[in-house]
C-alpha cells in the first residue's frame, strides 16, 4: 500500500516539464529583419550617386538602427531562452527525486509531497488571479522556477482587456507573434478577434470602415470561414438592436467573454498546460474513488454528510461527470 506509482505521478507532473521555447520565433525575427536590411542596402547601392549625401546618410543610419534593435531583441530572447533552460533543469531535478523514494511513508517523500502541494496551489492561485498570494508561496518555498508567472500575467491582462475594455489589440498582437503555431493547431482565434472588431465598427455606425476592414482582414479566411464571413457582411443591413437571429447573437456583448475564454484555452494549449487547474485534476482523482450511485440520488437522506461528493455546493461540483467507483457502498 505504501508503494509509489511513479509513472502516474509523472503523468500528472507533465505540464511542469514542458516549457515553450522561443528559439524558432527569434530565428524568424532575425531572418525577417536581416532580409529587410539587406534589401534596403541593395536599393541604396543602386541609387548611389543619385541621392543627396544627407539622404544617403539618413537612410544608412536608419538601417543601422534596425540592426541595433534586432541585436537588442536577440539578446533579450537569448536571456529568456537561458532562463527557460535553467528552469527546465531545476524542474527535472526536483521531479527526478521521485526515483529515490521507495515508500510513501518516507520523511523525504512527505517533504516532496508538501512541496508538490505548494506547486499545485501556486498554479491554482495564478490561474484565479490571486497573484500576490502565489508570490508569497513562491518566495516562502523558493519555487519561482516552477511558476509560469509571466504567462499567467499575459493571460490575465489580455482577458481583462477583452472583457472590460472590449479591445482586441493585445490578443491580436499575440496572435501575430504566434501565427505559425496557431496555424498548426488549426485555431481560428485570430479570425474571431477580427470578426469582433468588424462587428464593433458596425455597432459604431462606421460601415465604410467596416467594409474596408473586412476586405483587408476577413477575406483572407475565406477558404475556411466563408459562410461566417458572408453572414458577417449581412450585419451591415441590421441594427445592433435587432431581434433577428443569428445577428442578434453576433451583436451580443457576451461575445467578449467568449473571446476571453477562447484566448485562455488556446494559449494553454500552445504552452502544454491543462485547461483546468492541476488542483482540480488531483481532487477529481480522489473524488472519483469515493463516488457512488447514492451520491447522485435526489433523495437527500441517502447522502452522507461526511462524503465530499455529496456536498453538491462545494467539492461535489468537481465530481459532476466523473465515473462511479466500483464500490457498492461508500468507503466512508
Amino acid at each position: 500500500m505504501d508503494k509509489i506509482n511513479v509513472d502516474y505521478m509523472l503523468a500528472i507532473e507533465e505540464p511542469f516539464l514542458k516549457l515553450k521555447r522561443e528559439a524558432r520565433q527569434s530565428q524568424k525575427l532575425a531572418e525577417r529583419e536581416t532580409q529587410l536590411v539587406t534589401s534596403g542596402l541593395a536599393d541604396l547601392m543602386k541609387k548611389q550617386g543619385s541621392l543627396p549625401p544627407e539622404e544617403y546618410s539618413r537612410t544608412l543610419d536608419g538601417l543601422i538602427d534596425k540592426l541595433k534593435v534586432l541585436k537588442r531583441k536577440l539578446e533579450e530572447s537569448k536571456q529568456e531562452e537561458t532562463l527557460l533552460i535553467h528552469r527546465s533543469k531545476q524542474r527535472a531535478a526536483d521531479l527526478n527525486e521521485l526515483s529515490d523514494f521507495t515508500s510513501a511513508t518516507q520523511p523525504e517523500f512527505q517533504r516532496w509531497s508538501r512541496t508538490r502541494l505548494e506547486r499545485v496551489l501556486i498554479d491554482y492561485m495564478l490561474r484565479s488571479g490571486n497573484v500576490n498570494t502565489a508570490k508569497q508561496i513562491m518566495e516562502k518555498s523558493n519555487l519561482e522556477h516552477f511558476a509560469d508567472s509571466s504567462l499567467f500575467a499575459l493571460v490575465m491582462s489580455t482577458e481583462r482587456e477583452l472583457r472590460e475594455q472590449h479591445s482586441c489589440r493585445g490578443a491580436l498582437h499575440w496572435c501575430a507573434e504566434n501565427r505559425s503555431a496557431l496555424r498548426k493547431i488549426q485555431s481560428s482565434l485570430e479570425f474571431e478577434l477580427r470578426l469582433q472588431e468588424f462587428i464593433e465598427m458596425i455597432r459604431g455606425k462606421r460601415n465604410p470602415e467596416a467594409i474596408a476592414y473586412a476586405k483587408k482582414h476577413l477575406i483572407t479566411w475565406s477558404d475556411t470561414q466563408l459562410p461566417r464571413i458572408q453572414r458577417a457582411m449581412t450585419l451591415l443591413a441590421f441594427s445592433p438592436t435587432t431581434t433577428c437571429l443569428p445577428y442578434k447573437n453576433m451583436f451580443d456583448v457576451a461575445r467578449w467573454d467568449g473571446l476571453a475564454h477562447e484566448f485562455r484555452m488556446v494559449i494553454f494549449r500552445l504552452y502544454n498546460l491543462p485547461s483546468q487547474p492541476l488542483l482540480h485534476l488531483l481532487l477529481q482523482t480522489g473524488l472519483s474513488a469515493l463516488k457512488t450511485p447514492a451520491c447522485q440520488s435526489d433523495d437527500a437522506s441517502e447522502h452522507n454528510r461526511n462524503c465530499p461528493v455529496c456536498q453538491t455546493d462545494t467539492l461535489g461540483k468537481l465530481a459532476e461527470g466523473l465515473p462511479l467507483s466500483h464500490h457498492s457502498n461508500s468507503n466512508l
Side-chain angles (χ1 to χ4, degrees), residues 4 13-14 25 28 35 41 69 76 99 195 205 260 298 313:
I4 301 172
E13 299 287 347
E14 185 178 7
Q25 186 175 337
K28 288 183 177 180
Q35 184 177 2
L41 282 173
V69 172
E76 292 175 354
S99 60
L195 177 61
K205 298 181 180 180
D298 295 331
D313 57 335

Side-chain angles (χ1 to χ4, degrees), residues 4-23:
I4 301 172
N5 189 334
V6 177
D7 292 338
Y8 167 75
M9 297 189 73
L10 286 179
I12 295 293
E13 299 287 347
E14 185 178 7
F16 285 122
L17 282 173
K18 293 184 178 180
L19 288 169
K20 184 176 175 64
R21 303 285 166 80
E22 304 296 335

Side-chain angles (χ1 to χ4, degrees), residues 288-295 302 324-332:
S288 178
L290 296 173
K291 190 175 180 180
T292 66
C295 298
E302 295 188 23
L324 299 174
S325 63
H326 293 291
H327 305 294
S328 57
N329 296 301
S330 170
N331 287 336
L332 293 171

Side-chain angles (χ1 to χ4, degrees), residues 37-48:
V37 172
T38 303
S39 177
L41 282 173
D43 291 340
L44 196 60
M45 293 299 293
K46 290 179 182 179
K47 299 176 182 178
Q48 189 175 14

Side-chain angles (χ1 to χ4, degrees), residues 161-173:
E161 187 179 46
L162 289 168
R163 284 197 171 99
E164 299 176 8
Q165 302 176 22
H166 290 180
S167 172
C168 299
R169 181 177 301 176
L172 284 172
H173 177 71

Side-chain angles (χ1 to χ4, degrees), residues 120-245:
V120 171
L121 288 175
I122 290 172
D123 173 80
Y124 179 80
M125 293 300 174
L126 288 174
R127 286 173 182 262
S128 57
N130 299 308
V131 179
N132 291 333
T133 304
K135 286 183 178 179
Q136 290 179 12
I137 301 176
M138 282 187 279
E139 293 171 358
K140 178 183 177 182
S141 307
N142 194 25
L143 290 173
E144 289 85 353
H145 59 284
F146 262 102
D148 297 310
S149 304
S150 58
L151 173 62
F152 286 108
L154 170 64
V155 173
M156 295 299 172
S157 62
T158 306
E159 283 186 327
R160 193 180 308 113
E161 187 179 46
L162 289 168
R163 284 197 171 99
E164 299 176 8
Q165 302 176 22
H166 290 180
S167 172
C168 299
R169 181 177 301 176
L172 284 172
H173 177 71
W174 181 85
C175 287
E177 291 183 341
N178 297 272
R179 186 167 289 128
S180 59
L182 292 173
R183 193 179 299 116
K184 288 180 181 179
I185 64 173
Q186 299 180 341
S187 171
S188 61
L189 174 62
E190 185 175 358
F191 170 77
E192 298 295 342
L193 293 168
R194 295 292 184 188
L195 177 61
Q196 188 62 37
E197 288 204 327
F198 174 78
I199 293 172
E200 293 306 312
M201 290 177 186
I202 298 177
R203 194 195 307 275
K205 298 181 180 180
R206 295 178 289 156
N207 288 11
E209 185 179 346
I211 294 172
Y213 186 90
K215 289 180 178 179
K216 181 178 179 180
H217 296 292
L218 296 186
I219 199 65
T220 57
W221 294 83
S222 58
D223 291 342
T224 57
Q225 302 288 345
L226 184 58
R228 297 193 62 198
I229 294 173
Q230 292 172 334
R231 182 176 296 170
M233 297 306 295
T234 311
L235 281 177
L236 293 164
F238 287 87
S239 166
T241 58
T242 182
T243 58
C244 180
L245 297 176

